[in-house]
Amino acid sequence: QQGRAVASERAPSMPRQAPSGFQQLGDDGTDSQLGDDGTDSESWPQKMQLMELMDERESGGLRLLSDLTGGGGAEKLASMLGSSAGSGLSGEAADLDHRKVLFGANAFREKEPKSYLELVWDALHDAVLIMLLVLAAVQLPTELVFGKDKSTAWIEPTALFLSVFIIVNVSSATDYVKERQFKSLAAKLNQSNKKVVVRRGEQTEVTDAEIVVGDVLAFNAHSLASLPCDGVLLSGSDVKVDESSLTGEPDPMPKTAEAPFCVSGTDVVSGSGRMLVVAVGPYSVSGKIKMAVYHDEEEDDEASPLFVKLNGIVEDVFKVGLAAAVFCFLAMVALGIVYPSFRGCGEEGCWDFLEVEWLHLIEYMLTAITVLAVAVPEGLPLAVNLALAFSSQQMMAQNNLVKHLDACETMGSATTICSDKTGTLTANRMSVRAVRVGGVTYSAAGDSKRSLGRQLVELLPEKLAHLLAHLICVDTMDESFLEVNEATGATGFKGNPTECALLSLVAEMGYDYAALRHDTPGRSLATAARGKPFMFSSKRKMMSWAVPLPRGGYRVYCKGASEIVIARCDAMLSASGEAAPLSDAKRQQLMETVVRPFAGEAYRTIALAYRDLPGVKSASSKELEATHSTMTNADGSAAYVAETGLTLLALTGIADPLRPEVPGAIERCNRAGIDVRMVTGDNLDTAVAIAKNCGILRPQDLEPDPAHAAGERPKPKRALEGREFRALVHRTHADGSLALDEEGKPEFLQTQFDKVWPYLRVLARSSPADKLTLANGLNKSTVFADAQQVEELRREGIVVFPDRQVVAMTGDGTNDAPALKRADVGFAMGVAGTQIAKDACDIVLLDDNFASIVVAAKWGRNVYASISKFLQFQLTVNIVAVSLAIIGSIVFQESPIAAVQMLWVNLIMDSLASLALSTEPPSEELLARPPVNRSTSIVTRQMWINMLGQAAYQLGVTLFVLFHGAEHFHVLDGHDVDNSKPSVHYTILFNAFVLMTLCNEVNCRKLEGEFNVFAGVCSNAWFVGVLLGTLVLQVLAVQFGGRALRCAEGGLTTHQWLFCVGAGLFSLVWQQALNCYSLLSRRVDARRKRIKKKPAHGGAVKFMSRTGNGFQEFRRSNPYLGKSLSTLRFSPSSKTAPDLISAVAGTGPVAVSRPSSY
């Protein structure tokens, strides 16, 4: 109303009765529009004026603001923009749209994704594909000029070009779909970035893109810390903003009436307030910077371990292929040109340059090039692209929005997950389950007929009930409110879940929290300047709000962590409402009889208290800002005097039920070798109770404790509070304070940290800095290299992963961003997470559920497994093909498998196989194995057994066909047939090779020597379709391919087909033999390792028993190890007692109750 009055005085000629947003003709005949206060939008400050205001914020900003508003400040500027500092905009669509036209939208024109042709060009820069194109370009003119059959000379190089064409287009199509899919996912993510603005006098959640110039934006350091636009501070309390991203200044900048300018892209680190939006999108300060560098943005991400390993393998395979090609070329030259020339040497000499058949040299070069082409694993890039694209798409369907594709693979190596409690392990649907007030505990479970709120209203004195409701309503943030769904009638929470649970209790008591806020001076929007909030922070673990009292003075309402607030209370209200002194003994009694039992029920305990300050006259009084000389906050900073000497009103127990799927998900992590640690800001007892319920604290982590309510407690170092953790892992002074390094930060001790983290399961009352310390310390830990410590931990039931830790970290707050960025894989909460946390993470959990993290781990391992499967298949094909080419070039000076057939294998088998093996869905077996060791080779021992074993079998069959096939099948020998005419002999060899490779594709689905290679095959429609499709293509190629594919005219007979099919199917049987060999070799190796671990000190024993007497001297602990016996004597008539002998160790004899005899 004040805004309307000001506007009317300034523009009396405008029709005040015109509705908001009404279009009418201005004096010049142009369209104009009325603002929410009835003002003409043409009289609003111009966009350039507002931009200049922000540009000059450091020097002349205040002067420009004063000149623009006539000294009226931010509130006058709000009315000039057709808004109101108290009630904001009207929110009508026409007005919002008009403001976007005048001042721009709070969004950027999205960078257009690459076109299909640009993606094709990028794909053509792959080194493997460039090499193939060079080979084809060399081969085509060479064949056309020097080839024997020029009519078919184009086929082989054309097949090479076709191979590259298909690979490039499949890869480009995958990237094309992936980019557009990610664009849609990013849009979905942006929709989850909510801010709170004031419209029509009410707080409303909107997305960043919906904010317009003239909006009143509410912010705080807790959940609404990221500023999405430029603005001028209207009101605030202890507001400090981190502007280091713009100015480089590390210290937060306070925002007051003397420094009111708030810049987009900065983060509120302290306090809360409201600001008037004056510039948005590309017209804001950070927006202009972004637009200036928009076209220069380039991703410079470090290659993931998987890509590093694959690049190394490709290079090694290329080197081997190049060496094989050079060897083939030299061998063919020596045997085909040099040797025949020297074989007939006589007196006239043995070398006639003119008689040498130089055309053979071209043929030998083509054969060598073919060998090199076969050796290059051109299907590998396609397999990698398909695996990552398929996995990210499937993960999205399971609530994992992958921002960086390599995070999929990295998650497969995760060894530790540091998880939040609230909202991740729990459902984040909080409710007050118990209240201790007036010396009596009221429980929601204690009365099935009445809600907890009704119990409080009916059983408490009215004065006490009203004080409780009033304290909660005043001392909660504006951004926390209840929202009723008009369709279903259900009440939803907006803002902080803990505060919403308290507000829900107030509603049950029959109070209207909005009305109580509105009627309280210093808390309502209109009188906000008369109050002073002390906003919640993770450092203080509490929040307070000072409001004036009707009789004079101020009252400070406080709520916070129970142990912190109780320690600051000097009195406690009784059932009659009288304040009674609170001694140290009573404080301890409250902790033991109320707080600890609440925590034992997994309740979050929040204490509610207050203090009257009769001497305070205004919110700006220095008494409210004074700090205590001895009492400190949780982070060690001085406490406000106003937050000490409190009177305790109530203790509340707030329950956040455990997600039902979490215990099972944590059990799967344990089986998978992934340690799960809880990092929470809640108190230790509550954290321990939740950790026990969900399985983070296992039976081996607990010890009996009759004094504890639960009868047991965590063993030492299993559960720590933040202050204990900091004292253990940092250097401390004699007085217990933390020592600081040269940069003024606590001095971290990695050696001390390594003594703590293997035991740590729960970190309670932690700060964001503790999260960063944990992520950093785990990353740098080398405990695995200390054999003695690893063995000591093993005896205590703690297994340490034999490589550096790969850390996954969850977070939702702004202060969690450094830890999320430092972790190997950062998970941000999609629902409760701040924009800053989402920007810093690698994966966004769209449902904030811990079970979705386990899904990410499974898919991450599946990416690695899929690539390994294809690599196993590809390298087996390459080994056989290159070996055949080498043998053929030496024996016959030509490859028995023609170049076009080799390319057929590469094109049909490899490209399609990459599609089949890269789309294998993950199985639960992946979570039954330890994490992937990032330092080991991607080609495991079992893969070598599979590859070499299958290659040996396939090579044996093909060599049999090569040297004895003509005789066995009664056909002409392939190397005696005219080279221009395909032979049946070599067609059989080609077909047998392809069918053995095809059946081996089934074997390659398993990497660990599993005997049932068909397990789960029907769950992958892609695999079945590709397998059958490849078989059909091969039949068509052999029967109808003819000269184009160097196959015999008319194809093969039934007898010949049966041999090829049998050879292919026997590879499945052969795989079982390889698996048996692998199993036996693993058992032998395990037995050898056990033997090596046994002590070998030696010793001697003299024994007597009723079965015989004797003396034994040995050098090893086990007397049955070959030559370990040096002397062995028994009495002549006795029988030995082997049980006695075997029970003797080098460290001393072990008694045997009943010796045996033989």
Side-chain angles (χ1 to χ4, degrees):
Q1 292 174 350
Q2 292 174 353
R4 290 179 185 272
V6 172
S8 299
E9 292 173 5
R10 187 180 72 248
S13 61
M14 299 301 298
R16 295 178 58 187
Q17 71 276 15
S20 174
F22 178 74
Q23 293 276 348
Q24 64 176 18
L25 291 178
D27 295 335
D28 57 356
T30 59
D31 287 345
S32 63
Q33 187 170 11
L34 295 181
D36 290 334
D37 59 352
T39 61
D40 185 357
S41 63
E42 292 186 349
S43 66
W44 294 350
Q46 299 300 306
K47 178 170 59 181
M48 295 306 297
Q49 291 178 291
L50 298 175
M51 291 172 61
E52 183 183 9
L53 191 66
M54 295 305 301
D55 289 339
E56 300 296 328
R57 64 191 181 281
E58 298 291 341
S59 53
L62 281 175
R63 177 181 54 79
L64 290 175
L65 178 62
S66 178
D67 293 344
L68 184 63
T69 63
E75 292 191 6
K76 179 66 176 294
L77 181 60
S79 65
M80 292 174 65
L81 284 169
S83 182
S84 167
S87 57
L89 298 175
S90 69
E92 294 187 10
D95 179 53
L96 299 178
D97 291 341
H98 187 61
R99 291 175 185 273
K100 290 180 181 179
V101 173
L102 288 181
F103 301 106
N106 194 32
F108 297 90
R109 188 168 55 189
E110 296 183 0
K111 190 174 182 179
E112 287 298 322
K114 291 184 177 180
S115 66
Y116 187 79
L117 291 179
E118 288 176 317
L119 293 173
V120 169
W121 177 248
D122 290 344
L124 285 172
H125 283 74
D126 186 273
V128 174
L129 301 182
I130 290 174
M131 188 172 58
L132 284 173
L133 290 173
V134 171
L135 292 175
V138 171
Q139 191 175 11
L140 181 58
T142 306
E143 284 279 13
L144 290 175
V145 175
F146 301 105
K148 292 183 180 179
D149 188 356
K150 294 181 175 57
S151 63
T152 59
W154 59 272
I155 294 177
E156 294 182 15
T158 302
L160 256 179
F161 283 121
L162 181 61
S163 175
V164 173
F165 175 81
I166 292 177
I167 291 171
V168 166
N169 278 277
V170 171
S171 175
S172 301
T174 302
D175 288 340
Y176 186 82
V177 173
K178 180 182 67 180
E179 281 197 4
R180 278 144 186 82
Q181 182 187 46
F182 190 80
K183 182 179 178 181
S184 65
L185 296 181
K188 183 176 181 180
L189 179 60
N190 290 335
Q191 289 297 315
S192 68
N193 297 330
K194 301 284 189 178
K195 298 295 185 292
V196 173
V197 298
V198 178
R199 291 177 181 172
R200 299 179 301 279
E202 299 177 354
Q203 295 193 113
T204 305
E205 271 195 338
V206 297
T207 62
D208 289 353
E210 294 173 324
I211 298 173
V212 297
V213 170
D215 262 324
V216 175
L217 178 72
F219 60 84
N220 61 57
H222 181 61
S223 58
L224 299 170
S226 178
L227 299 181
C229 47
D230 292 346
V232 180
L233 187 70
L234 289 169
S235 62
S237 173
D238 192 30
V239 178
K240 293 181 181 180
V241 179
D242 178 8
E243 297 182 348
S244 58
S245 59
L246 286 176
T247 65
E249 292 292 336
D251 297 329
M253 304 299 293
K255 296 299 174 183
T256 61
E258 290 73 31
F261 301 106
C262 302
V263 184
S264 57
T266 58
D267 308 320
V268 180
V269 296
S270 173
S272 66
R274 295 183 177 187
M275 74 176 195
L276 175 69
V277 177
V278 298
V280 295
Y283 305 105
S284 63
V285 172
S286 63
K288 286 184 286 187
I289 296 174
K290 182 175 181 179
M291 294 302 293
V293 299
Y294 192 86
H295 298 290
D296 296 327
E297 291 181 351
E298 294 289 342
E299 293 186 3
D300 189 23
D301 296 331
E302 182 182 354
S304 75
L306 175 63
F307 284 93
V308 171
K309 293 178 182 179
L310 291 180
N311 290 336
I313 288 176
V314 170
E315 291 177 4
D316 292 341
V317 171
F318 175 72
K319 291 175 183 177
V320 172
L322 182 61
V326 171
F327 175 79
C328 288
F329 178 74
L330 295 178
M332 287 185 290
V333 169
L335 297 175
I337 296 179
V338 178
Y339 177 70
S341 299
F342 279 94
R343 187 171 52 183
C345 288
E347 296 180 357
E348 298 179 357
C350 53
W351 182 268
D352 188 345
F353 183 82
L354 297 177
E355 293 183 2
V356 174
E357 296 187 22
W358 293 107
L359 287 179
H360 286 327
L361 195 63
I362 303 300
E363 295 176 5
Y364 300 157
M365 186 179 295
L366 292 176
T367 301
I369 290 174
T370 302
V371 171
L372 183 57
V374 170
V376 175
E378 70 276 7
L380 196 54
L382 177 60
V384 173
N385 277 319
L386 286 174
L388 290 175
F390 179 72
S391 296
S392 62
Q393 182 181 9
Q394 295 300 314
M395 288 172 67
M396 174 60 193
Q398 299 182 53
N399 297 309
N400 282 265
L401 173 56
V402 181
K403 293 178 60 182
H404 307 121
L405 285 180
D406 58 351
C408 297
E409 178 264 326
T410 305
M411 192 59 201
S413 302
T415 60
T416 293
I417 298 175
C418 299
S419 174
D420 285 333
K421 176 182 73 70
T422 304
T424 308
L425 299 174
T426 60
N428 206 22
R429 178 65 186 182
M430 296 188 179
S431 60
V432 181
R433 304 298 296 168
V435 177
R436 174 80 171 193
V437 57
V440 180
T441 299
Y442 300 89
S443 172
D447 192 334
S448 59
K449 296 182 180 180
R450 292 181 297 182
S451 67
L452 179 59
R454 296 311 306 165
Q455 292 182 53
L456 294 173
V457 170
E458 295 174 8
L459 300 178
L460 284 178
E462 182 179 356
K463 179 181 177 182
L464 209 57
H466 182 79
L467 179 60
L468 177 63
H470 195 248
L471 188 156
I472 292 173
C473 295
V474 170
D475 197 23
T476 46
M477 295 184 294
D478 290 338
E479 294 76 30
S480 298
F481 56 94
L482 306 180
E483 186 176 68
V484 178
N485 188 314
E486 297 180 359
T488 63
T491 301
F493 289 179
K494 295 294 181 181
N496 184 276
T498 302
E499 292 190 338
C500 288
L502 293 171
L503 292 176
S504 182
L505 175 67
V506 171
E508 285 183 5
M509 295 172 67
Y511 292 93
D512 184 344
Y513 71 89
L516 281 175
R517 286 177 179 175
H518 183 269
D519 295 339
T520 302
R523 187 60 183 85
S524 64
L525 296 178
T527 62
R530 297 176 59 191
K532 180 172 180 59
F534 303 85
M535 300 306 296
F536 174 86
S537 73
S538 55
K539 297 179 180 179
R540 292 173 0 96
K541 304 291 185 185
M542 64 184 303
M543 172 184 174
S544 304
W545 209 302
V547 295
L549 293 171
R551 61 180 181 275
Y554 270 69
R555 172 170 288 178
V556 180
Y557 291 115
C558 299
K559 76 173 190 305
S562 54
E563 66 273 21
I564 292 176
V565 174
I566 289 175
R568 299 188 182 192
C569 289
D570 295 336
M572 179 175 65
L573 287 185
S574 64
S576 61
E578 300 295 327
L582 188 64
S583 63
D584 290 341
K586 288 185 177 180
R587 289 194 192 93
Q588 186 62 30
Q589 183 181 10
L590 280 175
M591 295 298 296
E592 295 293 334
T593 61
V594 181
V595 174
R596 180 158 289 183
F598 277 9
E601 295 290 335
Y603 293 164
R604 169 176 286 185
T605 56
I606 301 295
L608 307 176
Y610 70 95
R611 179 184 180 181
D612 288 339
L613 299 171
V616 176
K617 303 301 182 183
S618 68
S620 60
S621 173
K622 292 184 178 179
E623 190 174 344
L624 290 177
E625 296 285 350
T627 56
H628 205 279
S629 58
T630 59
M631 190 165 290
T632 60
N633 293 315
D635 66 337
S637 60
Y640 289 112
V641 172
E643 292 182 323
T644 62
L646 303 173
T647 298
L648 182 64
L649 171 59
L651 291 169
T652 61
I654 301 176
D656 187 8
L658 192 68
R659 291 182 184 268
E661 62 272 20
V662 164
I666 291 177
E667 176 60 29
R668 293 164 70 194
C669 286
N670 293 335
R671 291 200 309 269
I674 304 174
D675 286 331
V676 181
R677 293 175 169 83
M678 179 195 292
V679 185
T680 178
D682 219 331
N683 74 60
L684 185 60
D685 291 326
T686 302
V688 167
I690 292 289
K692 287 164 61 178
N693 291 340
C694 67
I696 290 178
L697 280 173
R698 294 163 289 183
Q700 59 264 37
D701 298 316
L702 304 170
E703 61 184 9
D705 181 14
H708 198 276
E712 58 185 3
R713 65 180 180 187
K715 291 180 180 178
K717 298 182 183 178
R718 266 60 170 192
L720 298 174
E721 287 189 333
R723 55 183 176 79
E724 297 177 86
F725 174 74
R726 290 188 286 273
L728 287 172
V729 303
H730 293 94
R731 191 182 302 279
T732 57
H733 294 300
D735 61 357
S737 61
L738 300 182
L740 303 180
D741 59 16
E742 296 177 354
E743 298 179 358
K745 298 178 181 178
E747 186 176 348
F748 176 70
L749 300 175
Q750 184 68 49
T751 54
Q752 294 299 111
F753 180 84
D754 287 346
K755 296 178 182 178
V756 174
W757 76 259
Y759 300 97
L760 186 63
R761 313 297 300 175
V762 176
L763 184 58
R765 289 298 183 213
S766 65
S767 66
D770 294 333
K771 275 190 174 183
L772 182 59
T773 300
L774 194 59
N776 188 57
L778 286 168
N779 273 136
K780 295 182 178 179
S781 176
T782 56
V783 168
F784 67 92
D786 187 341
Q788 182 178 353
Q789 185 178 359
V790 169
E791 179 60 24
E792 291 174 356
L793 291 169
R794 187 189 63 79
R795 294 196 191 105
E796 297 185 58
I798 298 172
V799 179
V800 177
F801 187 69
D803 201 345
R804 83 166 182 85
Q805 294 289 307
V806 179
V807 184
M809 180 76 70
T810 71
D812 55 8
T814 298
N815 291 335
D816 292 332
L820 295 179
K821 210 162 187 64
R822 180 64 183 86
D824 294 282
V825 183
F827 287 89
M829 304 297 110
V831 178
T834 63
Q835 179 61 40
I836 299 171
K838 294 174 186 176
D839 290 341
C841 74
D842 300 293
I843 299 175
V844 179
L845 294 179
L846 299 179
D847 60 350
D848 292 9
N849 194 338
F850 179 85
S852 297
I853 302 177
V854 183
V855 169
K858 183 167 70 171
W859 276 102
R861 294 187 179 191
N862 191 64
V863 169
Y864 197 92
S866 296
I867 302 304
S868 298
K869 291 172 184 177
F870 176 75
L871 196 60
Q872 179 175 261
F873 174 79
Q874 172 91 67
L875 293 182
T876 304
V877 174
N878 289 1
I879 291 171
V880 178
V882 172
S883 299
L884 276 177
I886 292 174
I887 293 172
S889 63
I890 295 174
V891 178
F892 305 114
Q893 288 78 59
E894 68 174 354
S895 173
I897 298 181
V900 70
Q901 292 175 342
M902 290 288 194
L903 295 173
W904 175 266
V905 171
N906 282 359
L907 183 63
I908 301 301
M909 302 295 291
D910 294 356
S911 298
L912 291 179
S914 65
L915 180 61
L917 294 174
S918 299
T919 54
E920 280 278 299
S923 64
E924 281 299 316
E925 295 175 358
L926 289 172
L927 293 179
R929 304 169 188 165
V932 179
N933 194 324
R934 296 179 65 171
S935 62
T936 58
S937 171
I938 191 173
V939 183
T940 64
R941 176 186 176 185
Q942 180 65 46
M943 290 172 64
W944 277 117
I945 292 174
N946 294 344
M947 290 188 299
L948 295 179
Q950 286 292 342
Y953 166 71
Q954 294 179 23
L955 197 57
V957 173
T958 51
L959 290 179
F960 168 78
V961 175
L962 178 62
F963 293 106
H964 303 286
E967 178 183 353
H968 179 77
F969 293 105
H970 307 291
V971 296
L972 293 176
D973 200 318
H975 54 271
D976 292 334
V977 177
D978 182 5
N979 191 46
S980 62
K981 183 178 181 182
S983 68
V984 174
H985 179 199
Y986 282 175
T987 302
I988 295 173
L989 188 149
F990 166 62
N991 195 39
F993 172 52
V994 170
L995 292 182
M996 286 188 294
T997 302
L998 185 61
C999 291
N1000 188 44
E1001 191 174 339
V1002 179
N1003 294 325
C1004 289
R1005 295 181 61 252
K1006 304 298 178 182
L1007 297 170
E1008 302 295 328
E1010 296 93 331
F1011 285 92
N1012 185 6
V1013 296
F1014 292 99
V1017 68
C1018 294
S1019 62
N1020 186 3
W1022 280 105
F1023 183 87
V1024 176
V1026 167
L1027 197 68
L1028 295 178
T1030 307
L1031 180 60
V1032 170
L1033 288 174
Q1034 178 62 18
V1035 172
L1036 295 175
V1038 171
Q1039 296 301 114
F1040 306 104
R1043 179 172 295 186
L1045 292 176
R1046 300 292 294 170
C1047 291
E1049 297 293 339
L1052 300 180
T1053 65
T1054 302
H1055 172 69
Q1056 293 161 353
W1057 265 105
L1058 287 175
F1059 170 81
C1060 296
V1061 172
L1065 292 176
F1066 189 77
S1067 67
L1068 299 172
V1069 179
W1070 179 246
Q1071 183 63 44
Q1072 302 303 307
L1074 295 177
N1075 291 342
C1076 290
Y1077 166 77
S1078 176
L1079 179 63
L1080 291 174
S1081 65
R1082 285 199 301 266
R1083 289 182 176 178
V1084 170
D1085 289 345
R1087 182 179 179 185
R1088 287 176 179 171
K1089 289 180 181 179
R1090 287 196 300 268
I1091 291 173
K1092 287 181 179 179
K1093 289 181 180 180
K1094 291 184 178 180
H1097 309 298
V1101 63
K1102 182 178 181 180
F1103 59 90
M1104 294 186 299
S1105 74
R1106 64 177 180 273
T1107 59
N1109 305 325
F1111 173 84
Q1112 179 192 5
E1113 181 182 352
F1114 52 90
R1115 291 188 298 274
R1116 299 184 185 177
S1117 60
N1118 191 332
Y1120 297 105
L1121 293 179
K1123 299 180 180 180
S1124 62
L1125 300 182
S1126 59
T1127 305
L1128 182 61
R1129 298 195 300 271
F1130 296 107
S1131 51
S1133 60
S1134 69
K1135 296 180 179 179
T1136 63
D1139 288 345
L1140 273 176
I1141 298 174
S1142 64
V1144 179
T1147 54
V1150 180
V1152 178
S1153 60
R1154 186 177 181 85
S1156 62
S1157 63
Y1158 63 90

